[in-house]
Amino acid sequence: MARVVVLGAGVSGHTAATFLRDWLGPQHEVVVVTPNSKWNWIPSNIWVGVGQMTKDDVVFDLAPVYEKVGIDYRQAKAVSIHPDGGENEDTPYVTIEYTGQGKEGEQETVTYDYLINATGPKLNFGATEGLGPDNGYTVSVCTADHATHASEELEKIIAKMKGGERQKIVIGTGHGMCTCQGAAFEYIFNVEHELRKAGVRDLAEITWISNESFLGDFGIGGLHMKRGGYAASSRLFAESLYAEKGIPWVIGAHVNKVEEGKIHYEQLDGSTGELEFDFSMLIPPFSGVGLKAYAKDGSDMTDKIFAPNGFLKVDADYSGKPYEEWKAEDWPKTYQNPDYPNIFAVGIAFAPPHGISKPMKSPNGTPINPTPPRTGMPSGIIGKTVAMSIRDMIEKGAEKPTHHASMAEMGAACVASAGKGLTDGMAASLTVYPVVPDFEKYPGIGRDLDYTFGEIGLAGHWIKHILHHMFLYKAKLKPGWTLIPE
């Protein structure tokens, strides 16, 4: 009998756990450890954040889904990994602390034969003073609860505008090392759309602020896409959209402090500035969740398994080579830890070897560039790929991972909402191949234009709406769920 323990139940962890349970016989165990009682389809949080959906539309309870298929579910947070066991335990194990199931605060150890770290990110609001909804002055759409709060605050400023009061809105990234520019991109255009529907757009000053060095970078160094027989840059695409909607932008910006009604930032040229706001949604930077690792004698070995940012090291090139030497093969293929072959990391939990966008600093030495995104479709693909390798290691005796999913060999599709509506909705539908550019294989632009293209319009909105229901159906393990692609 083998036991696979999955830490985290987001897109990547849930995908890995459910496929493993589907593939492995009853003699094997699949254990999921997650601090959350509910699963959240995060891409639709932006619609919750503008009042077009409720929290209940984007979440469901995990317990009955896992019980139905025989997954051992522990509502707990992972505290530490002990890959060599402990003084009184030869089998590797993790220490967990319960957050629910009537055991709040209790700790226990869970042994494993294979471990998948799918803990995702810590929303590091603390990296910028005054950032975030809990101890700061900005809202967020990173969780369903955050998005609900954002919607409530948005309603308040819309009410003020209906009373004739002008309002200043700032949306974007809240630190120089943020990722997930796409979520903020979606949110700013959904807010703009809602203001038009409410008849108050003329009373709103909406500004975009981002750590991107150019609009349309999106943390992947931008892209060129095929449109009408031509190769159009994502920069031109984004600038046209922002200009069309009357939204000015501040880019190459590191938000270093937020006060009530005021954002302070530094730009790549070393200049500083301020933006006043009545409503602001700024994405926080991500870090690892703070898992520790200990050797058999109890000594701390966190630095051996985890990168300085708290994400788990996998089969990537972490040598720190300069940008000019970056190559596609730097990126992991199997997501297996090099020191412990029974430990894997998927989704946001794996440490990328370096950025995808060009690294940049201000004259003051402040890093200002997007960190690489590892969410959405790539997360699901990586989770399933690792699950296939572990299945083969358990059932076929494979000595090494049997399946690969490098982001430098992987395509991805993205549907970015720009407003929700039955007849007036809009979304940008983009495909990119590969996610990480390969300039040796595709000289000049790094990607294959036959598989990298984009369009914007009402059809894209309906695609995103359909995907919302389709992926919730899949995540609930409804009949035929395995047929729905990641």
Side-chain angles (χ1 to χ4, degrees):
M1 183 189 80
R3 173 185 282 177
V4 184
V5 175
V6 183
L7 304 179
V11 169
S12 206
H14 187 69
T15 299
T18 51
F19 272 107
L20 280 167
R21 183 65 286 163
D22 184 60
W23 294 330
L24 297 177
Q27 71 273 27
H28 303 297
E29 292 182 81
V30 177
V31 181
V32 171
V33 176
T34 176
N36 303 310
S37 63
K38 296 180 182 293
W39 193 85
N40 177 201
W41 178 238
I42 294 174
S44 292
N45 284 354
I46 51 106
W47 284 340
V48 177
V50 293
Q52 286 296 315
M53 282 188 174
T54 68
K55 175 183 175 179
D56 290 341
D57 292 325
V58 299
V59 303
F60 63 82
D61 290 328
L62 282 168
V65 173
Y66 286 159
E67 182 180 6
K68 176 176 66 176
V69 295
I71 290 175
D72 184 349
Y73 163 59
R74 318 279 180 98
Q75 190 186 336
K77 64 179 181 180
V79 177
S80 58
I81 301 175
H82 303 256
D84 297 308
E87 292 183 0
N88 302 312
E89 176 64 71
D90 292 330
T91 304
Y93 66 90
V94 293
T95 301
I96 67 173
E97 181 179 312
Y98 279 91
T99 60
Q101 297 177 313
K103 300 179 181 180
E104 290 82 354
E106 293 183 21
Q107 287 200 356
E108 71 177 30
T109 61
V110 182
T111 60
Y112 65 84
D113 295 289
Y114 294 91
L115 181 69
I116 300 176
N117 179 14
T119 48
K122 172 186 176 182
L123 303 176
N124 194 14
F125 291 105
T128 299
E129 181 182 347
L131 184 68
D134 297 324
N135 300 301
Y137 304 99
T138 61
V139 300
S140 162
V141 292
C142 293
T143 71
D145 285 329
H146 284 174
T148 299
H149 171 252
S151 175
E152 294 166 352
E153 295 301 308
L154 182 62
E155 285 183 11
K156 292 177 184 178
I157 68 160
I158 289 176
K160 289 181 180 180
M161 285 186 276
K162 286 183 176 180
E165 188 176 341
R166 295 190 66 83
Q167 296 287 284
K168 295 180 179 179
I169 298 170
V170 180
I171 295 171
T173 59
H175 189 272
M177 298 296 288
C178 283
T179 186
C180 275
Q181 288 78 14
F185 172 91
E186 289 188 272
Y187 193 63
I188 196 169
F189 289 111
N190 271 268
V191 167
E192 198 273 345
H193 185 74
E194 292 303 313
L195 298 184
R196 288 185 184 276
K197 286 165 59 177
V200 294
R201 176 64 180 90
D202 59 326
L203 290 172
E205 297 177 28
I206 308 175
T207 303
W208 170 259
I209 185 169
S210 172
N211 59 342
E212 302 163 287
S213 63
F214 60 90
L215 283 183
D217 179 286
F218 297 127
I220 58 172
L223 67 150
H224 286 77
M225 50 194 167
K226 185 183 291 185
R227 297 193 73 199
Y230 295 91
S233 71
S234 56
R235 176 174 183 168
L236 177 63
F237 177 84
E239 288 183 354
S240 298
L241 185 57
Y242 280 84
E244 177 187 335
K245 299 296 183 181
I247 300 174
W249 56 84
V250 178
I251 53 175
H254 163 60
V255 174
N256 49 35
K257 184 178 180 180
V258 181
E259 298 176 311
E260 186 172 5
K262 187 176 291 187
I263 293 167
H264 300 265
Y265 62 88
E266 174 187 355
Q267 288 186 275
L268 278 168
D269 63 3
S271 63
T272 59
E274 299 176 354
L275 285 173
E276 294 182 351
F277 69 90
D278 298 292
F279 174 90
S280 178
M281 196 293 292
L282 299 178
I283 298 291
F286 293 168
S287 66
V289 298
L291 269 174
K292 305 289 288 184
Y294 295 100
K296 190 173 180 62
D297 63 4
S299 59
D300 193 322
M301 55 179 288
T302 304
D303 291 346
K304 180 179 181 180
I305 294 182
F306 293 94
N309 56 14
F311 297 119
L312 195 139
K313 295 177 184 176
V314 291
D315 59 314
D317 184 342
Y318 297 111
S319 61
K321 62 178 72 173
Y323 171 74
E324 292 73 21
E325 297 178 16
W326 288 1
K327 293 186 177 181
E329 56 261 33
D330 298 342
W331 285 78
K333 295 179 175 63
T334 67
Y335 304 90
Q336 182 184 49
N337 181 264
D339 295 305
Y340 293 95
N342 61 342
I343 297 179
F344 296 79
V346 296
I348 295 177
F350 84 83
H354 47 63
I356 302 176
S357 303
K358 184 177 181 179
M360 296 187 179
K361 290 184 179 181
S362 74
N364 305 315
T366 304
I368 307 176
N369 56 264
T371 52
R374 301 170 323 274
T375 55
M377 186 174 177
S379 275
I381 292 172
I382 292 167
K384 185 176 182 180
T385 299
V386 166
M388 289 191 289
S389 287
I390 291 176
R391 174 200 60 193
D392 291 347
M393 294 169 88
I394 292 173
E395 293 194 329
K396 300 179 181 179
E399 296 183 356
K400 59 183 180 180
T402 53
H403 291 78
H404 295 176
S406 170
M407 289 176 61
E409 300 171 353
M410 177 196 306
C414 174
V415 185
S417 174
K420 191 174 189 298
L422 182 67
T423 59
D424 62 350
M426 181 182 291
S429 304
L430 306 171
T431 64
V432 57
Y433 179 83
V435 178
V436 174
D438 185 339
F439 292 102
E440 293 183 348
K441 190 172 183 179
Y442 307 105
I445 57 177
R447 297 187 173 97
D448 188 337
L449 282 180
D450 287 336
Y451 299 101
T452 303
F453 50 86
E455 294 291 342
I456 187 166
L458 177 61
H461 164 70
W462 277 105
I463 291 172
K464 186 174 180 73
H465 195 78
I466 291 169
L467 290 174
H468 164 87
H469 293 286
M470 187 172 72
F471 282 114
L472 280 170
Y473 182 95
K474 177 183 174 72
K476 291 178 181 179
L477 310 185
K478 299 285 189 177
W481 68 272
T482 59
L483 302 177
I484 299 173
E486 275 50 63

